[in-house]
């Protein structure tokens, strides 16, 4: 049985379908990456899983039980790292963690020990007494994460947890996520950084216009466009005759001119060198370089949505 199962989930706002009949499963120990351009429905989806808003239709099952009918069955086992910083700036880091620990029902020595553990995990122990308003953006993000895992949740939802932070804090957060996952925490992760998803996630769901349009491992998603190799050819002189000659190669699907480069899509990167050189032997143009770009998660995303992830 899956840990979390989303079934035909939809949400409408004033007749606009923000989420439109999506289905996916999260197994225990997964790091599921939820990808999509702005407006795809990611935030609405995780708000429904977080029990913050009710779906218009469909269901969400946690260990086989509906959290739409009974939100309390997941709430004590759920941690949420929101995109916005959910901290009190005039309180210290310690006071913020203590506040959120109290919300989760932690008290006394148990709470103190847990704050000590968390401050080690997020790497901010020496700054706990400082007010949050004195923290850098990266430090605020770390405390934000710390507050969400005080109660040792089974599922952690992270909505863009590395937005606008320095590289050192970002790397620390990514390593923290991997460490938490090794300790048994299941994570749902949204990001506008493709490289983060590739580094962290064992499963990826791509959303666009309120629907899940692809789901699988990175390798399974790349298989969707496995034959779309992008080859960039640079010449000393790009002529119409040269372009027409390249277009006559059977397995070339598309040819575009970008300045002095000719960009082609082909399902046969291996033979293109030989065939293009043969074509060039009939012309005066000299080839300066050839660069082959194999399909990756970014090209899959562009192929499926027509937009870059940050659009």
């Amino acid at each position: 049985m899956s840990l979390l199962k989303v079934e035909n989930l939809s949400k409408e706002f004033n007749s606009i379908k923000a989420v439109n009949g999506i289905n996916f499963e999260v197994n225990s120990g997964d790091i599921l990456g939820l990808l999509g351009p702005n407006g795809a429905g990611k935030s609405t989806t995780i708000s429904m899983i977080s029990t913050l808003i009710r779906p218009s239709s469909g269901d969400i099952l946690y260990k086989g039980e509906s959290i739409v009918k009974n939100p309390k069955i997941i709430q004590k086992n759920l941690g949420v790292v929101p995109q916005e910083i959910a901290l009190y700036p005039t309180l210290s880091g310690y006071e913020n963690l203590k506040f959120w620990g109290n919300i989760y029902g932690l008290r006394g020595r148990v709470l103190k020990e847990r704050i000590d553990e968390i401050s080690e995990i997020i790497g901010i122990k020496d700054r706990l007494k400082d007010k949050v308003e004195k923290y850098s953006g990266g430090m605020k993000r770390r405390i934000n994460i710390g507050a969400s895992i005080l109660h040792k949740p089974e599922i952690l939802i992270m909505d863009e947890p590395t937005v606008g932070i320095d590289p050192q804090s970002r790397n620390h957060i990514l390593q923290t996520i991997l460490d938490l996952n090794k300790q048994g925490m299941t994570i749902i992760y949204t990001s506008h950084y493709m490289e983060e998803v590739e580094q962290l996630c064992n499963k990826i769901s791509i959303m666009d216009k309120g629907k899940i349009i692809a789901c699988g491992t990175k390798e399974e998603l790349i298989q969707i466009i496995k034959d779309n190799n992008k080859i960039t050819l640079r010449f000393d002189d790009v002529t119409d005759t040269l372009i027409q000659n390249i277009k006559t190669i059977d397995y070339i699907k598309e040819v575009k001119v970008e300045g002095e480069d000719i960009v082609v899509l082909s399902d046969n990167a291996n033979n293109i060198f030989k065939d293009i050189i043969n074509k060039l032997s009939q012309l005066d143009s000299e080839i300066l370089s050839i660069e082959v770009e194999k399909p990756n998660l970014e090209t899959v995303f562009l192929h499926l949505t027509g937009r870059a992830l940050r659009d």
Side-chain angles (χ1 to χ4, degrees):
M1 181 190 297
S2 57
L3 183 63
L4 192 76
K5 190 173 185 180
V6 171
E7 294 184 333
N8 300 314
L9 195 66
S10 294
K11 182 63 182 179
E12 293 185 24
F13 296 101
N14 299 324
S15 77
I16 296 173
K17 278 203 169 180
V19 176
N20 188 3
I22 64 171
N23 296 273
F24 64 87
E25 296 185 23
V26 185
N27 295 322
S28 182
D30 278 346
I31 303 181
L32 172 70
L34 197 56
L35 287 178
N38 289 330
K42 304 184 303 297
S43 293
T44 303
T45 298
I46 62 176
S47 292
M48 288 188 281
I49 295 171
S50 305
T51 72
L52 296 174
I53 59 175
R54 287 181 60 84
S56 302
S57 61
D59 208 348
I60 305 165
L61 305 179
Y62 170 63
K63 296 182 178 179
E65 296 188 64
S66 171
I67 69 170
V68 176
K69 295 177 181 175
N70 183 10
K72 290 184 178 179
I73 61 174
I74 196 174
Q75 287 171 349
K76 65 182 180 181
N77 296 313
L78 185 67
V80 179
V81 181
Q83 191 174 135
E84 301 299 325
I85 301 295
L87 302 170
Y88 293 96
T90 58
L91 298 181
S92 69
Y94 185 90
E95 288 166 336
N96 269 279
L97 292 177
K98 185 178 179 182
F99 171 82
W100 288 109
N102 287 332
I103 295 292
Y104 295 129
L106 302 174
R107 300 285 188 276
R109 189 167 69 178
V110 172
L111 175 56
K112 185 179 184 304
E113 289 175 354
R114 190 63 186 143
I115 290 175
D116 286 342
E117 290 173 19
I118 291 299
S119 62
E120 290 284 358
I121 291 170
I122 60 178
I124 207 167
K125 193 166 188 175
D126 59 336
R127 295 290 305 276
L128 274 184
K129 292 182 180 179
D130 296 345
K131 289 184 179 181
V132 165
E133 63 189 4
K134 302 291 186 182
Y135 288 177
S136 68
M139 291 171 67
K140 289 175 184 176
R141 290 280 174 191
R142 295 194 207 184
I143 287 282
N144 219 34
I145 293 170
S148 72
I149 59 175
L150 279 162
H151 58 308
K152 298 183 179 179
E154 189 172 13
I155 300 175
L156 180 64
I157 295 176
M158 310 188 80
D159 189 10
E160 308 267 0
T162 63
V163 170
I165 63 173
D166 60 278
Q168 183 180 0
S169 287
R170 184 171 176 235
N171 290 336
H172 192 284
I173 287 172
L174 297 182
Q175 188 56 54
T176 299
I177 293 166
L178 291 172
D179 291 343
L180 290 170
N181 182 246
K182 285 177 185 175
Q183 294 164 20
M185 199 173 288
T186 301
I187 298 166
I188 299 174
Y189 191 88
T190 79
S191 177
H192 273 85
Y193 301 108
M194 190 70 74
E195 64 274 16
E196 289 184 2
V197 174
E198 290 187 287
Q199 179 181 340
L200 296 174
C201 302
N202 67 305
K203 285 168 61 177
I204 301 162
S205 288
I206 297 177
M207 285 193 76
D208 193 32
K209 299 176 182 175
K211 295 184 177 182
I212 299 283
I213 56 175
C215 193
T217 64
K218 172 186 168 183
E219 290 73 24
E220 288 168 344
L221 292 176
I222 287 174
Q223 284 297 305
I224 295 172
I225 58 166
K226 62 183 175 64
D227 293 332
N228 279 10
N229 296 284
K230 178 182 175 182
I231 300 103
T232 302
L233 308 155
R234 173 157 290 190
F235 296 90
D236 63 341
D237 184 27
V238 176
T239 64
D240 289 339
T241 305
L242 172 64
I243 295 166
Q244 292 306 316
N245 268 262
I246 291 175
K247 284 182 176 179
T248 61
I249 300 174
D250 290 339
Y251 49 79
I252 286 181
K253 299 177 177 180
E254 185 180 345
V255 179
K256 293 188 295 183
V257 179
E258 298 178 359
E260 293 184 347
D261 295 342
I262 295 179
V263 178
V264 302
L265 290 180
S266 170
D267 57 9
N268 189 341
N270 295 325
N271 290 336
I272 196 166
F273 303 106
K274 173 175 63 68
D275 290 340
I276 285 178
I277 288 169
N278 286 340
K279 293 288 182 183
L280 286 177
S281 65
Q282 308 162 24
L283 304 168
D284 294 331
S285 297
E286 180 182 349
I287 192 163
L288 302 177
S289 66
I290 298 180
E291 180 183 341
V292 178
E293 184 180 318
K294 297 284 187 180
N296 56 28
L297 196 55
E298 184 79 48
T299 52
V300 172
F301 191 88
L302 281 166
H303 174 78
L304 292 174
T305 69
R307 292 181 280 174
L309 183 56
R310 293 178 178 83
D311 288 350

